[in-house]
């Protein structure tokens, strides 16, 4: 009975890292704050181990380790972008634990980031989680938490 309830269509999104949830408008980068890449939210990380926010296939793993695109079986796709202008570090401070085309489960370790090593070299550690407009389709993103969160907490659902 419980398998076919509406709940089974929802995709839970967990906090990839300890930190503070912020609105996408407050992310320190116009491309994200103006939702050019899609809607979502941000997190100000207070730790450096980043987990997969949802289960899916890694469509994108930047060689620099700063961004991960995950596509859920439903077609919903998200982009986790660690910090602003972190691509300019060419991987410095990032220890990637996955590769493109890997299937990941929610909570799998994507990378370890030495926040102390990189924080003074980039404009911001703000980490947007955005859902690409093409892949979100007619789904809606519902943010369940704001403020301080612990890694692994359910922070949003896509329904």
């Amino acid at each position: 009975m419980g398998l076919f309830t509406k709940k089974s269509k929802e995709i839970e999104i967990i906090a990839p890292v300890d930190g503070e949830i912020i609105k996408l408008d407050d992310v320190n980068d116009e491309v994200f704050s103006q939702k050019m890449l899609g809607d979502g939210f941000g997190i100000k990380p207070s730790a450096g181990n980043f987990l997969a926010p949802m289960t899916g296939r890694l469509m994108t793993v930047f060689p620099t380790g700063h961004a991960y695109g995950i596509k859920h079986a439903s077609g919903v796709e998200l982009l986790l972008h660690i910090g602003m202008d972190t691509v300019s570090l060419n991987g410095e401070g990032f220890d990637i634990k996955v590769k493109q085309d890997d299937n990941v489960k929610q909570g799998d370790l994507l990378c370890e980031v030495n926040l102390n090593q990189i924080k003074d070299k980039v404009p911001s550690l703000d980490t947007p989680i955005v859902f690409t407009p093409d892949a979100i389709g007619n789904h809606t993103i519902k943010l369940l938490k704001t403020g301080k969160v612990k890694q692994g907490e359910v922070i949003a659902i896509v329904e």
Side-chain angles (χ1 to χ4, degrees):
M1 157 120 177
L3 288 176
F4 299 104
T5 60
K6 182 178 186 316
K7 186 102 174 111
S8 66
K9 289 191 178 77
E10 292 177 353
I11 305 165
E12 290 186 337
I13 307 299
I14 63 166
V17 66
D18 289 348
E20 182 186 350
I21 299 292
I22 58 172
K23 292 191 302 214
L24 201 55
D25 307 5
D26 296 333
V27 167
N28 187 12
D29 185 276
E30 279 186 5
V31 171
F32 291 104
S33 64
Q34 294 182 8
K35 302 184 172 127
M36 294 180 203
L37 296 178
D39 202 357
F41 49 90
I43 187 165
K44 289 184 177 290
S46 59
N49 293 353
F50 288 81
L51 307 182
M54 71 178 183
T55 297
R57 185 161 164 246
L58 285 166
M59 306 304 285
T60 312
V61 175
F62 275 80
T64 49
H66 76 286
Y68 300 84
I70 304 172
K71 188 170 192 171
H72 188 268
S74 67
V76 169
E77 194 167 347
L78 68 74
L79 175 69
L80 172 69
H81 191 287
I82 302 167
M84 293 298 120
D85 291 345
T86 39
V87 67
S88 65
L89 299 173
N90 289 317
E92 178 194 341
F94 288 79
D95 183 7
I96 305 169
K97 302 297 185 185
V98 292
K99 57 190 186 307
Q100 195 156 319
D101 293 325
D102 280 357
N103 288 309
V104 291
K105 287 193 192 74
Q106 183 180 60
D108 284 357
L109 182 63
L110 298 176
C111 72
E112 294 174 358
V113 183
N114 184 332
L115 297 181
N116 286 330
Q117 183 180 351
I118 70 167
K119 71 178 182 211
D120 296 330
K121 299 176 182 175
V122 295
S124 166
L125 294 175
D126 290 358
T127 297
I129 299 170
V130 295
F131 297 85
T132 53
D134 297 345
I136 198 77
N138 58 3
H139 295 274
T140 56
I141 307 152
K142 190 182 293 179
L143 193 57
L144 303 177
K145 293 201 71 137
T146 53
K148 298 258 186 264
V149 292
K150 285 273 176 220
Q151 184 180 55
E153 270 186 87
V154 177
I155 53 173
I157 53 171
V158 179
E159 47 185 18

